[in-house]
């Protein structure tokens, strides 16, 4: 099915000030926010806010949602984001599993499909599977709302600006394949490609009350980190930041698929394979401590399939390592099973809100 994606004929989406207003509507949720508060929070004049909100309402992105009592004056009309005004696809392409989900404009998942894949089967058949699942998902778009695009998250290394994977550890056949452009052509949608860890970190960074700087440490089929500093993901100029799994923690340790030895990932996954989860947690804790000391972040968030299978073991193990080093950084869990796929949808949604 071919979708009319340029149908989001929303000039407002191209305006920086409109993005500011939309982001305040997004974070206000169902409570809504008045025009006066929007003016106070953005520094825009009430006239400018009225003009922007009129345009957002005309475009179906915002709606009036009743009145709220205000101190002193008359009750104020509040405005809300209309989550069904547009949708985005999030794709999590893992080494052994494909998850595609449809998120509304507020980032909430409204449909999800999952199937096993083998990244080692090579890009040809795997991209066929992605195309098939996304097309099926697009058939589930409520009332045919416009789909802004698809965010695709996969293991690194990769170049997110070029939309091309690098030498994914253990899967060299993906290196240099123009995954983003190929999927964009197949799906007829704008596509953004990023690392799985960056996508999850972006989604987590956009939650209300998220800390300004944190590391999302992901342990699943691989080990990596998504870094958020000053509210924005730190990708590095070559999308090479956050390769936590390939930090050498044991000189002359066992060889790793990346070409190095004694990498955090190879040691941690070996402990997981032996069923020694407490030891795996301790190794993960060493990696987390290195990150905390390097970046002085507000929080460490643990996620990924292996962590979520024994969350308390991993949280306790990582906390113990940090405490032993007198590091007071809180350790939390990113418990959403589909944090990467949800974050992948945010790759497309975030620019709407100026993020
Ligand atoms: Zn390595």
């Amino acid at each position: 099915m071919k979708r009319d994606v340029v149908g989001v004929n929303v000039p407002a989406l191209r305006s920086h000030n409109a993005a500011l207003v939309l982001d305040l509507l997004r974070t206000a949720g169902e409570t809504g926010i008045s025009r006066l508060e929007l003016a106070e929070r953005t520094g825009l004049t009430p006239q400018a806010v009225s003009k922007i909100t009129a345009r957002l309402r005309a475009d179906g992105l915002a709606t009036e949602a009743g009145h709220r009592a205000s101190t002193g004056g008359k009750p104020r009309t509040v405005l809300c984001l209309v989550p069904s005004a547009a949708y985005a696809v999030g794709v999590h392409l893992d080494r052994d599993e494909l998850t595609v989900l449809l998120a509304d404009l507020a980032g909430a998942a409204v449909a999800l499909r999952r199937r096993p894949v083998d990244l080692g089967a090579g890009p040809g058949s795997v991209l066929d599977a992605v195309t098939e699942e996304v097309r099926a998902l697009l058939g589930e778009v409520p009332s045919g709302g416009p789909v802004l695009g698809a965010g695709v998250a996969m293991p690194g290394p990769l170049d997110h600006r070029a939309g091309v994977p690098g030498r994914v550890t253990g899967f060299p056949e993906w290196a240099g394949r123009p995954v983003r452009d190929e999927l964009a052509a197949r799906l007829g949608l704008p596509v953004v490609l990023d690392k799985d860890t960056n996508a999850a970190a972006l989604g987590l960074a956009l939650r209300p009350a998220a800390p300004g700087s944190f590391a999302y440490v992901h342990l699943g089929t691989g080990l990596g980190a998504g870094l958020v500093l000053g509210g924005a993901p730190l990708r590095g100029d070559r999308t090479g930041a956050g390769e936590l799994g390939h930090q050498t923690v044991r000189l002359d340790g066992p060889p790793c698929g990346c070409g190095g030895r004694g990498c955090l990932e190879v040691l941690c996954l070996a402990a997981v394979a032996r069923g020694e989860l407490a030891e795996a947690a301790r190794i993960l804790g060493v990696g987390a401590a290195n990150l905390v000391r390097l970046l002085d972040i507000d929080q460490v968030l643990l996620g990924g399939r292996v962590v979520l299978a024994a969350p308390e073991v991993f949280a306790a193990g990582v906390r113990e390592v940090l405490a032993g080093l007198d590091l007071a950084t809180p350790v939390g869990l990113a418990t959403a099973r589909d944090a990467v796929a949800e974050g992948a949808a945010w790759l497309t949604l975030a620019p709407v809100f100026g993020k």
Side-chain angles (χ1 to χ4, degrees), residues 169 245-248 255-266:
T169 311
H246 301 288
Q247 303 293 303
T248 302
C256 175
C258 74
R261 297 187 80 95
C263 292
L264 197 68
E265 178 177 279
V266 77

Coordinates of all heavy atoms in Angstrom, one line a residue, residues 169 245-248 255-266, ligand 1:
T169 N 29.2 -6.0 14.8 CA 29.9 -7.1 15.4 C 29.2 -8.4 15.1 O 28.1 -8.6 15.4 CB 30.1 -6.9 16.9 OG1 30.5 -5.6 17.2 CG2 31.1 -7.9 17.5
G245 N 30.2 -1.3 25.1 CA 30.5 -2.8 25.1 C 31.9 -3.1 24.6 O 32.4 -4.1 24.9
H246 N 32.5 -2.1 23.9 CA 33.8 -2.4 23.4 C 34.9 -1.6 24.1 O 35.9 -1.3 23.5 CB 33.8 -2.3 21.8 CG 32.8 -3.2 21.2 ND1 33.1 -4.6 21.2 CD2 31.6 -3.1 20.8 CE1 32.0 -5.2 20.7 NE2 31.1 -4.3 20.5
Q247 N 34.6 -1.3 25.3 CA 35.7 -0.7 26.2 C 36.5 -1.9 26.7 O 35.9 -2.9 27.2 CB 35.1 0.0 27.4 CG 34.2 1.2 27.0 CD 34.9 2.3 26.3 OE1 35.8 2.9 26.8 NE2 34.5 2.6 25.0
T248 N 37.8 -1.8 26.6 CA 38.6 -2.9 27.1 C 38.7 -2.8 28.6 O 39.0 -1.8 29.2 CB 40.1 -2.8 26.6 OG1 40.0 -2.8 25.1 CG2 40.9 -3.9 27.1
P255 N 39.2 -12.8 23.0 CA 39.0 -11.9 21.8 C 37.5 -11.6 21.7 O 36.7 -12.4 22.1 CB 39.5 -12.8 20.7 CG 39.5 -14.2 21.2 CD 39.7 -14.1 22.7
C256 N 37.3 -10.4 21.1 CA 35.9 -10.0 20.8 C 35.7 -9.8 19.3 O 36.7 -9.6 18.6 CB 35.7 -8.6 21.5 SG 34.1 -7.8 21.2
G257 N 34.5 -10.0 18.9 CA 34.2 -9.9 17.5 C 34.6 -8.5 16.8 O 34.6 -8.4 15.6
C258 N 34.8 -7.5 17.7 CA 35.2 -6.2 17.2 C 36.6 -6.1 16.8 O 37.1 -5.1 16.2 CB 34.8 -5.1 18.2 SG 36.0 -5.0 19.6
G259 N 37.4 -7.1 17.1 CA 38.8 -7.1 16.8 C 39.6 -6.8 18.1 O 40.9 -7.0 18.1
G260 N 39.0 -6.4 19.1 CA 39.7 -6.1 20.4 C 39.7 -7.4 21.3 O 39.3 -8.5 20.9
R261 N 40.3 -7.1 22.5 CA 40.3 -8.2 23.5 C 39.8 -7.7 24.8 O 40.0 -6.5 25.1 CB 41.8 -8.7 23.6 CG 42.4 -9.3 22.4 CD 43.7 -9.9 22.7 NE 43.6 -11.3 23.4 CZ 43.7 -12.4 22.7 NH1 43.9 -12.4 21.4 NH2 43.5 -13.6 23.3
G262 N 39.2 -8.6 25.6 CA 38.8 -8.3 26.9 C 37.7 -7.1 27.0 O 37.7 -6.4 27.9
C263 N 36.9 -7.0 25.9 CA 35.9 -6.0 25.9 C 34.8 -6.3 26.9 O 34.5 -7.5 27.2 CB 35.2 -6.0 24.5 SG 36.2 -5.4 23.2
L264 N 34.2 -5.2 27.4 CA 33.1 -5.4 28.4 C 32.0 -6.4 27.9 O 31.5 -7.2 28.6 CB 32.5 -4.0 28.6 CG 31.6 -3.8 29.9 CD1 32.5 -3.9 31.1 CD2 31.0 -2.5 29.8
E265 N 31.7 -6.2 26.6 CA 30.6 -7.0 26.0 C 30.9 -8.5 26.0 O 30.1 -9.3 26.4 CB 30.3 -6.6 24.6 CG 29.2 -7.4 23.9 CD 28.9 -6.9 22.5 OE1 28.1 -5.9 22.4 OE2 29.3 -7.5 21.5
V266 N 32.1 -8.8 25.6 CA 32.5 -10.3 25.5 C 32.5 -10.9 26.9 O 32.1 -12.0 27.1 CB 33.8 -10.4 24.6 CG1 35.0 -10.1 25.4 CG2 33.9 -11.8 24.1
Ligands
LIG1 ZN1 34.8 -5.6 21.4

